[in-house]
Each structure stands twice: as C-alpha cells, then as structure tokens.
Amino acid sequence: MDDDWDLHAVVRGCAAVTTTSTDTTTTTTANNPFPSFSSTPNFHEVHQDSFDFPGLIDDRNDPFQGLQEIYQEFCLDAPPPATSSSGVDTATVPVPAVQVFQPHREIAQIQPPLLQMNMQTQESIQFKNPTLASPSHHSFPAANPQPIRQRRRKNQQMKMVRQMTQEELSADSWAWRKYGQKPIKGSPYPRNYYRCSTSKGCAARKQVERSPNDPGIFVVSYTGEHTHPRPAHRSSLAGSTRSKFSAASKSNNIESYALLFQKGSVSSSSTASGSTFSPCSPLMEGEAAAQNDDVEMAEEDDGGGDEDDENVIVIPNDLMNDDEDMFKGFQDSDHSSGGGDLFSSGLLSSPPWTPTSSSAKASNFNGGGGS
DNA sequence: CGATTTTGACCCGCGC
DNA sequence: GCGCGGGTCAAAATCG
C-alpha cells in the first residue's frame, strides 16, 4: 500500500491531548516514555480509597505528584527516592489491583517498579536500562546486555496502558518503529507493536490497538523505558520515511493540521493514506478486515482487554492531561530548535489540541486502512 | 541507499 | 507436558 499513514506519526501520539485548558498538568520528562500525569481531584476520588501508596498518594496538594515521581523512576535515569515519605520501603507496600474503566477516557494502568517489587516474582523484574536499576532502591538485576529475547512473565511486565484518541496519538514526540502486528484473540482489532527507533538499544516499547468498545479510542500500552533523552529534534529517522505531508507540513498554521486530519479521514475509507502524522494508521491496516467482519465482541469485559488485572493502576482520563505542558514543551523548543515532535519536525506547524484544531478530531480517524 | 513497514515464523509465558 | 496466545524476530518489500 502506498498510502499508508506514517507510522511514526501515529505512534508518536502517546502524549495526551485532552480537552482541559487549565494548568493542571505536569511536564513530561526527558526519558519518560509515558505521558506525565496531571493532578485532578478525580484521581483522588478514584484512587485514594483504593490505594495506600506511601509516597505515592499522600497529603500533598498534588496527589499525582507522587505517582509521577514513581513513574519517573520507572522511566528516567534519575535515581528514585529511597523510601516513601513514611519511611516505609515502597517495595513492601501492598499494591491492590484496581481497574477503573471509563469509556472514552484515557486509562493508565501502571506498574511502576516500586510498586511491582512486591509482586510475586521479583526476580523477573528487569530493567534493560542500567541507570534505572538503582541498586539502593530497587533490587532489579543490573541491566543485562544480553541481546536476544528478553521475556518477562507477561503479568510481571511493567506496563502503562492508556486510552487515547487519534489526535492524542499524534502528539507523541518519540520516534517509534513498528516491528510487529498481531491479531488479538477476543478483539476484532489487531495489536501493533512499536519500539523506539531513536536509539538502537532503547528498550521502550509501545503497543497500540483499537478499543473494542470504541473504535475511536486507541489503547496504547507502554513498556520499557527510553535509554536516551527525548529527541530534541525529530531525527531524520523519526518518521522521515513514508511522509507525504511535505506540503502541509510547510505551512505554518493550524489548518495544516486540520487538513492532515481530514486527509486521514478521507483516506481511511479505503486506505489509509499516507499521512505522515496519522496516529493510528498502522492500526487501521489490520483493522479494516476486522471491521468488515462486524465487530462482534460477545462481551468485551473492557477496553483494556487482557491487561493484567493485578498490579495495575488505572488512571482516569482527566488525570492524564499532560498534553498541555507537553505542548508547552513543543512550543518552547519548537520555535527555536525544532523541538522533537510533529511540529518541530515540520509535520505539523501547530498543536493539534489547540481550540481550533481540536475540532478536526479523532472522529475522522475511524475507518481503516488497507492491507 | 538507508530506514521503515509488512508479515509469517519462531519463541516462550501461562493455563489446563 | 501440551497447546494456546501473545510478543518478537527477521527477511522481503516499500518508500523517500
């Protein structure tokens, strides 16, 4: 197919784009493959009763901060705090499983290292990034350079799952490369596998699949962590190929973004179109067939599908509003250095989540591409 | 020509 | 131990 949407762009969309317009977001961190969290009362409501994470959710004004910190530990090279605020080793803190499903909302299912330490088989937890394995805090084995397949117990993998829309998918500033696609039992839509293409040894992985509940929603799972800083510029590798948006990308207005989305929508009916930033195109490829078969999920438990029920933290959509700050970053770096994202890379000149462009939404994205 | 996508095969975790 | 299902590999195709 010649009109495939650019995969990179697609997968780049891990950054959240939500409707929020306030300043409740936190910033994404350099190596953090996951979107940062924002703090909202909602989170408190949902989780405070469900968890008891010393140092994670506490009395701080920003209940999310703790979570974010833990996340950062997971994703960043920065050494994590040794203990929780209460002095209790976080590794020993019981972690009840919680899942909250909110259709049409983003969901984060988190398995941060600290929380995971008390899971059954600790030895199975590994970080490929040496710097992540902070010996004093985590008893993770040192990164093993061992190249071949590194498989952890499936239910032990640290994973962050999030539901997002097409446009949100498009906001991912990381460069991803697709390395596989598999039909998932029980789901009409295939799952697409991506790895970070910025750095060869980067262990960051991303899975994207369409939500069986709502084809307009994409379930994105992040595993592993980046072993390199967030690309300052969209590297030549980053989605450089298959890009057919040169024209649109050169324009410096929001319309170009909207246009791109329109393109996506138009093409989606037949093939997905060659749009560079189409967040979900890869998904659609396989989906097309599935959709034709009539999505017939006898009973989908949830969008999360077979996510591990245990050891999972689900974060409501509202809490995941990192887009704003993230976007700030885009803008900041964009104008000057190019900022390593769709915009800086020239794929987009304006953020998709601006009021203007927001109208050109993910709704366009249904339908699916070819193959 | 280099990078990415596609896709069947292979590997392996996990439940029975 | 076996089989299923999911994750990854890797060769070939594709694209700019």
Side-chain angles (χ1 to χ4, degrees):
Chain A
M1 35 181 159
D2 3 6
D3 271 338
D4 289 342
W5 293 34
D6 180 81
L7 212 11
H8 283 84
V10 173
V11 220
R12 273 172 221 145
C14 71
V17 177
T18 56
T19 57
T20 179
S21 61
T22 60
D23 261 330
T24 59
T25 59
T26 57
T27 55
T28 14
T29 47
N31 284 7
N32 193 340
F34 311 133
S36 57
F37 305 107
S38 66
S39 66
T40 71
N42 193 11
F43 175 80
H44 244 339
E45 293 172 9
V46 172
H47 296 278
Q48 204 164 28
D49 295 338
S50 305
F51 299 101
D52 180 19
F53 297 154
L56 174 55
I57 300 173
D58 54 25
D59 295 335
R60 284 176 290 191
N61 290 335
D62 184 355
F64 247 116
Q65 189 173 341
L67 182 56
Q68 170 114 25
E69 288 172 0
I70 290 183
Y71 235 148
Q72 289 178 353
E73 293 176 21
F74 179 28
C75 308
L76 299 178
D77 294 344
T83 59
S84 68
S85 58
S86 63
V88 177
D89 188 334
T90 48
T92 63
V93 176
V95 183
V98 170
Q99 287 198 344
V100 177
F101 296 103
Q102 299 188 353
H104 304 284
R105 311 209 121 214
E106 301 161 53
I107 293 180
Q109 298 176 324
I110 311 166
Q111 294 185 304
L114 288 180
L115 302 181
Q116 189 137 22
M117 285 309 295
N118 74 336
M119 297 168 190
Q120 303 108 0
T121 55
Q122 298 180 7
E123 71 280 3
S124 65
I125 302 171
Q126 296 184 3
F127 283 113
K128 296 171 186 173
N129 180 357
T131 59
L132 282 177
S134 178
S136 58
H137 316 308
H138 309 289
S139 53
F140 306 114
N144 71 12
Q146 147 229 333
I148 322 269
R149 304 186 177 186
Q150 305 180 23
R151 292 172 191 253
R152 284 175 264 186
R153 287 170 176 258
K154 289 176 183 178
N155 61 5
Q156 297 292 324
Q157 288 190 21
M158 286 162 287
K159 180 191 288 187
M160 194 271 279
V161 181
R162 185 177 178 188
Q163 292 187 349
M164 54 181 72
T165 62
Q166 163 193 3
E167 59 186 7
E168 291 168 342
L169 271 170
S170 70
D172 192 341
S173 64
W174 296 97
W176 301 94
R177 173 178 172 179
K178 184 176 181 178
Y179 66 89
Q181 174 177 320
K182 289 276 289 186
I184 301 302
K185 186 183 181 184
S187 173
Y189 310 111
R191 177 175 297 162
N192 295 269
Y193 301 89
Y194 303 89
R195 65 163 53 104
C196 179
S197 63
T198 302
S199 175
K200 226 176 181 180
C202 183
R205 296 263 196 292
K206 182 178 184 176
Q207 299 178 4
V208 181
E209 62 182 296
R210 195 180 281 265
S211 169
N213 291 330
D214 183 349
I217 298 295
F218 298 89
V219 180
V220 183
S221 306
Y222 298 92
T223 58
E225 67 287 335
H226 293 281
T227 59
H228 54 88
R230 183 184 292 272
H233 301 265
R234 176 76 67 203
S235 73
S236 57
L237 313 180
S240 60
T241 63
R242 329 264 154 150
S243 172
K244 297 183 179 179
F245 278 137
S246 54
S249 62
K250 287 179 180 177
S251 64
N252 286 319
N253 53 41
I254 281 176
E255 280 128 11
S256 65
Y257 183 84
L259 172 61
L260 296 182
F261 262 119
Q262 279 194 318
K263 272 189 165 186
S265 67
V266 170
S267 60
S268 65
S269 58
S270 55
T271 318
S273 80
S275 72
T276 295
F277 80 89
S278 152
C280 315
S281 61
L283 218 68
M284 308 174 72
E285 298 166 10
E287 291 163 4
Q291 286 188 320
N292 291 337
D293 294 340
D294 293 345
V295 179
E296 208 171 281
M297 297 283 295
E299 45 174 30
E300 35 197 20
D301 332 11
D302 47 72
D306 50 23
E307 294 307 329
D308 303 327
D309 298 308
E310 300 179 0
N311 314 324
V312 164
I313 300 173
V314 180
I315 299 178
N317 186 34
D318 324 24
L319 310 180
M320 300 297 290
N321 297 338
D322 61 318
D323 20 306
E324 289 205 325
D325 277 1
M326 199 181 97
F327 183 47
K328 272 184 203 165
F330 287 163
Q331 290 182 314
D332 291 344
S333 55
D334 256 45
H335 296 307
S336 54
S337 62
D341 55 72
L342 293 174
F343 315 109
S344 62
S345 65
L347 298 177
L348 293 176
S349 56
S350 302
W353 42 83
T354 57
T356 305
S357 62
S358 63
S359 57
K361 261 213 152 174
S363 57
N364 293 335
F365 195 54
N366 291 338
S371 140

